[in-house]
Amino acid sequence: AEHQHARYNPLRDDWVLVSAHRVKRPWQGQLEKPPPEDVPRWDPNNPLCPGATRANGKVNPQYEGTFVFPNDFPALQPDAPEPGDNDHPLFQAAAARGVCKVMCFHPWSDLTLPLMSLAEIRAVIDAWAELAVELGASYPWVQIFENKGAMMGCSNPHPHCQVWASSFLPNEARVEDRTQRQYLSQHGVPMLLEYAEQEARRKERLVVENADWLVVVPYWATWPYQTLLLPRRPVCRLQDLHEGERDSLASIMQRLLIKYDNLFEVSFPYSMGWHGAPTGPYLEEDCGHWQLHAHYYPPLLRSATVRKFMVGYEMLAQAQRDLTPEQAAERLRSLPEVHYKQKAK
């Protein structure tokens, strides 16, 4: 806890430098603005609200639950042309096709996942699984991700996520496919299934748990309060979850996100995303080395206004963190599971 050391991340096959003493250094750098507390519940000028007109002129329905629509500014399109022949190994290009969708979690703009009911969160999970099945029928990778907060590049406060399906395996997916495959071959058990069992027994990095799931600050965490959400049984893909597991997933997500908000009593920013076994042509293959999991990457370090910057050494050498994963887990674990806004009421 007091001396710097490096930790190995077997999922990404890289290392992180842990320098816990650095969190004590004085800070005179950039201070972030806390997220606004006065977001209107409904705004006709907000393109994600029910009944609002989007940039392409389409009008949203008066939706009352989740709402999925094609991204008006997609990063991937299904009919992109081939880039042409590569004339040198240093100048390679490849086809990149896909579909991008936006999914609104709720019709109210002033609501976030930790403040939604369990039934409403469960509806989000079901919609995720439906999209994974729909897009995964033809595309090898379906990336479900949420950027929460302006600090994480979110351009709209309305509660929503994005789903990008691609004709290729992205970098993170290719690395995780390789490392999990190698681990199963060498040890005879899926990496993240064994990791979940180990963390459930050790408990020093455990944040929350229930009968089906656990959340830990991973041993190899890079971001200050990074967490990893893991099922306890072998599960390859989100759509493979049973009814009861979806209910318990809604519960553990709510508990984690309430703790996040309670840490600095602010709507906690993060980027999160689901990783599961590839789809499309991989549906016919044995993907038993894969274990479903979700990554949460929050940037805040010391307070609601001081964030962790991944610059300098992190960009040019390797990732570095300013407190140990055990310290971060203990702090998150000790936080109440009643949201600070609801407690105030």
Side-chain angles (χ1 to χ4, degrees):
E2 296 296 326
H3 301 285
Q4 66 269 17
H5 60 280
R7 297 191 184 191
Y8 179 62
N9 181 346
L11 192 58
R12 296 198 73 255
D13 189 23
D14 62 11
W15 292 79
V16 57
L17 175 63
V18 182
S19 310
H21 57 285
R22 278 174 53 83
V23 79
K24 300 175 184 177
R25 74 191 193 281
W27 181 260
Q28 295 182 340
Q30 178 173 316
L31 298 179
E32 308 293 336
K33 292 182 179 180
E37 296 284 348
D38 57 347
V39 176
R41 178 155 293 181
W42 184 82
D43 181 354
N45 297 315
N46 186 328
L48 297 186
C49 281
T53 302
R54 304 202 306 274
N56 60 2
K58 292 187 177 180
V59 178
N60 296 334
Q62 294 291 342
Y63 65 92
E64 297 181 351
T66 60
F67 170 51
V68 179
F69 62 93
N71 194 312
D72 296 329
F73 303 95
L76 293 165
Q77 296 178 321
D79 54 355
E82 291 285 344
D85 295 333
N86 302 310
D87 62 359
H88 192 281
L90 294 178
F91 302 94
Q92 297 189 46
R97 301 184 179 93
V99 173
C100 297
K101 293 181 179 289
V102 176
M103 187 181 108
C104 296
F105 295 153
H106 197 279
W108 295 356
S109 292
D110 60 342
L111 212 57
T112 56
L113 279 172
L115 293 170
M116 288 167 55
S117 70
L118 289 177
E120 290 167 337
I121 299 173
R122 168 63 195 268
V124 170
I125 294 167
D126 288 341
W128 282 341
E130 289 171 9
L131 283 170
V133 171
E134 173 193 337
L135 299 175
S138 54
Y139 286 103
W141 189 255
V142 179
Q143 183 59 65
I144 298 167
F145 65 98
E146 178 194 4
N147 294 325
K148 183 187 174 204
M151 195 183 301
M152 297 308 292
C154 183
S155 60
N156 192 307
H158 195 94
H160 71 285
C161 73
Q162 298 190 55
V163 184
W164 294 9
S166 61
S167 61
F168 55 91
L169 290 187
N171 294 340
E172 295 294 313
R174 285 192 293 107
V175 171
E176 289 193 4
D177 185 67
R178 173 177 59 83
T179 58
Q180 290 181 96
R181 189 184 299 275
Q182 289 175 346
Y183 194 92
L184 179 63
S185 176
Q186 294 171 4
H187 301 279
V189 61
M191 177 199 294
L192 292 181
L193 181 62
E194 182 168 27
Y195 181 66
E197 293 172 351
Q198 286 286 325
E199 290 287 33
R201 181 173 60 81
R202 296 170 185 253
K203 297 192 180 302
E204 58 188 331
R205 285 169 295 275
L206 191 66
V207 177
V208 287
E209 64 178 330
N210 60 27
D212 300 313
W213 301 88
L214 68 156
V215 175
V216 300
V217 177
Y219 178 78
W220 52 79
T222 300
W223 293 92
Y225 293 96
Q226 175 181 336
T227 54
L228 184 63
L229 172 58
L230 295 162
R232 293 183 183 270
R233 75 167 180 92
V235 183
C236 280
R237 302 177 178 91
L238 193 64
Q239 54 266 44
D240 298 334
L241 296 174
H242 303 321
E243 289 290 314
E245 290 170 332
R246 296 187 184 194
D247 287 337
S248 58
L249 174 57
S251 174
I252 204 164
M253 283 175 55
Q254 184 188 64
R255 293 169 63 195
L256 169 65
L257 298 180
I258 286 175
K259 284 180 178 288
Y260 269 161
D261 280 10
N262 284 345
L263 179 60
F264 298 128
E265 294 198 345
V266 69
S267 185
F268 205 68
Y270 59 75
S271 284
M272 71 81 63
W274 285 100
H275 282 176
T279 49
Y282 295 89
L283 291 171
E284 303 301 321
E285 297 185 8
D286 181 4
C287 290
H289 56 291
W290 268 92
Q291 179 73 337
L292 176 70
H293 57 283
H295 297 282
Y296 285 83
Y297 298 130
L300 292 178
L301 173 59
R302 301 178 182 220
S303 68
T305 61
V306 178
R307 66 179 299 179
K308 167 69 177 178
F309 287 91
M310 290 293 181
V311 296
Y313 188 87
E314 291 88 350
M315 294 177 70
L316 296 166
Q318 69 180 31
Q320 179 269 331
R321 59 179 292 117
D322 301 302
L323 74 165
T324 68
E326 294 75 26
Q327 291 167 336
E330 182 179 12
R331 187 166 184 189
L332 289 173
R333 188 168 53 242
S334 65
L335 291 167
E337 295 187 9
V338 176
H339 198 277
Y340 71 93
K341 288 186 177 180
Q342 295 172 329
K343 186 177 180 181
K345 291 180 181 179

